[in-house]
Amino acid sequence: MTPIDFIDLGFRTFMRNPFSRPEQISLRQGESDFRLLGAREGLVVTLGPKTSFFDRPSRSVCRWPGTRTIPRQSPHFVPKRSWIVNEFATFLYVCFGGGDVKLNRIATSEKQREILLTAGEGNVVEKIDLTKLAGDNSPPLLFLQPAYLCSSANVTIESVPCDASTMSWARAPYVYRTCPVDDASTPAILCLAGKTMIWCERIEPGESRDYALGNVIATTANVVSKLRPTSQTHPEDMRVAAVEQDRSRANAIISASAKTSSNSSIRMRLRECAAATKILFESIRAREGFFVCEVTNESDAPAHVFIQLNKGDFYGGSGLVGIVIKLVSSIFRMSHLSLGH
């Protein structure tokens, strides 16, 4: 090998180093930077002095000295509660993936430090600036719990139960709801992990899209989704359909408000839970190719949908119920294959 070959080899080795970058940034206290790697298989998080961020357990690969991990931290304010309420929150977390969100907080000491994270085997990273979404007049973002990778410290993440609409694409009892802190001057970064490729699709008011089950990993809260058999054609003029749906929804709200005095909130909650459970069962037994998820923006603000090009075999949230959902989905899939359809 010639000296030029050695120089080229050394340069390539240096550039492959995830901690190397052409320009070195200098961060102050409280500042953070999220840099995606070349193939988006991971990212490097740079933290200023006395700065922290949240990450998903087992995703941190390499950290510089001077960082420490504080486990089971909540990215939103949790008031003081009785031990019974705390035990109930733990029960929701273990069984359904609900309750309080508990993540790892990685913090630095007196100097700027860097952390290397991996998206997982076969996954890629998508970096989302929640401040830009909020500036676009978009509501908070809802995303699948297994898709979470990391986030900056200036975001709030809460576990919210799924209604019938969210259940159509989430196939889980709970999803994560996130939004930036009120300070819009600082970027609020959220990083999600998905298969092969992730892109964001903007849906204008009145527009609609069809997505395959399991490919949607996040949507803004202003969309309405439902399962539709592929044998049914999509309406050609969604604007007219959206107007009709708005009228019917307004009439339903008026009639519901008239009945609110006679119906208790517990009964209404049970009805919503029953509708969500029905959608969950339909999404579990719905085999890909026979049902699609119809996502419609019926609000006055633009909506954003994040889609992964490929997906895992089965999905269904976290917790014990998530394991059961994945197991039942696999049974339906195997029965479908055994019948030869």
Side-chain angles (χ1 to χ4, degrees):
M1 297 179 66
T2 63
I4 297 179
D5 294 332
F6 280 106
I7 295 175
D8 181 70
L9 179 61
F11 179 75
R12 290 177 180 273
T13 304
F14 173 77
M15 292 304 297
R16 281 198 216 100
N17 187 349
F19 293 124
S20 66
R21 59 166 60 208
E23 68 284 353
Q24 289 292 335
I25 60 174
S26 179
L27 301 179
R28 295 176 295 181
Q29 180 176 342
E31 295 181 343
S32 58
D33 177 75
F34 293 76
R35 177 172 60 92
L36 296 175
L37 299 182
R40 290 178 174 258
E41 296 177 353
L43 76 159
V44 176
V45 180
T46 306
L47 300 177
K50 297 182 179 179
T51 308
S52 63
F53 82 110
F54 295 96
D55 79 324
R56 182 178 175 183
S58 74
R59 286 293 180 259
S60 176
V61 177
C62 178
R63 289 175 291 178
W64 285 19
T67 61
R68 60 191 180 97
T69 300
I70 309 173
R72 296 186 56 80
Q73 297 296 303
S74 179
H76 67 280
F77 174 73
V78 178
K80 291 184 178 180
R81 300 171 301 194
S82 62
W83 68 272
I84 298 179
V85 178
N86 291 330
E87 291 296 327
F88 181 69
T90 304
F91 170 76
L92 290 179
Y93 175 78
V94 174
C95 294
F96 302 98
D100 295 331
V101 179
K102 299 295 184 180
L103 303 170
N104 285 344
R105 180 192 288 269
I106 298 181
T108 58
S109 298
E110 299 294 334
K111 296 182 180 180
Q112 174 177 310
R113 291 294 182 251
E114 294 184 341
I115 301 96
L116 173 66
L117 282 83
T118 175
E121 184 179 0
N123 290 351
V124 294
V125 184
E126 175 68 17
K127 184 174 71 172
I128 305 171
D129 191 349
L130 299 176
T131 305
K132 291 184 178 179
L133 289 182
D136 200 16
N137 198 24
S138 295
L141 188 70
L142 305 176
F143 63 93
L144 297 178
Q145 295 176 357
Y148 175 78
L149 180 62
C150 67
S151 60
S152 57
N154 58 340
V155 301
T156 60
I157 302 177
E158 296 179 329
S159 182
V160 295
C162 294
D163 55 10
S165 175
T166 308
M167 194 78 75
S168 300
W169 61 269
R171 193 188 282 179
Y174 286 84
V175 292
Y176 282 165
R177 178 183 182 271
T178 181
C179 60
V181 181
D182 295 335
D183 185 12
S185 60
T186 305
I189 303 300
L190 169 70
C191 294
L192 302 180
K195 293 290 184 180
T196 309
M197 178 182 178
I198 304 175
W199 77 92
C200 176
E201 190 165 4
R202 179 188 173 104
I203 302 179
E204 298 296 335
E207 293 184 348
S208 179
R209 299 287 190 277
D210 287 345
Y211 300 106
L213 296 177
N215 290 80
V216 179
I217 62 174
T219 66
T220 49
N222 59 335
V223 299
V224 177
S225 58
K226 63 179 181 179
L227 296 179
R228 194 185 80 247
T230 54
S231 58
Q232 297 180 5
T233 58
H234 194 281
E236 295 181 358
D237 193 354
M238 286 305 302
R239 297 186 182 276
V240 176
V243 172
E244 294 178 354
Q245 291 175 358
D246 288 339
R247 292 176 181 175
S248 61
R249 176 170 297 181
N251 296 331
I253 292 175
I254 294 174
S255 60
S257 61
K259 298 179 181 179
T260 304
S261 57
S262 59
N263 294 334
S264 62
S265 59
I266 298 178
R267 183 177 300 177
M268 297 297 294
R269 182 59 184 168
L270 290 176
R271 290 179 180 177
E272 180 65 27
C273 182
T277 304
K278 179 181 178 182
I279 292 295
L280 175 61
F281 179 73
E282 290 180 354
S283 65
I284 289 175
R285 70 182 182 88
R287 306 177 183 96
E288 288 75 1
F290 294 91
F291 280 81
V292 293
C293 184
E294 180 183 317
V295 178
T296 307
N297 181 9
E298 298 182 358
S299 66
D300 297 331
H304 297 82
V305 181
F306 292 87
I307 313 103
Q308 57 182 351
L309 184 61
N310 294 314
K311 65 179 183 64
D313 294 333
F314 309 106
Y315 68 103
S318 57
L320 298 179
V321 173
I323 298 176
V324 173
I325 292 174
K326 297 174 185 177
L327 178 62
V328 175
S329 300
S330 63
I331 293 175
F332 276 108
R333 174 68 62 83
M334 288 186 296
S335 65
H336 171 64
L337 295 177
S338 63
L339 293 177
H341 294 298

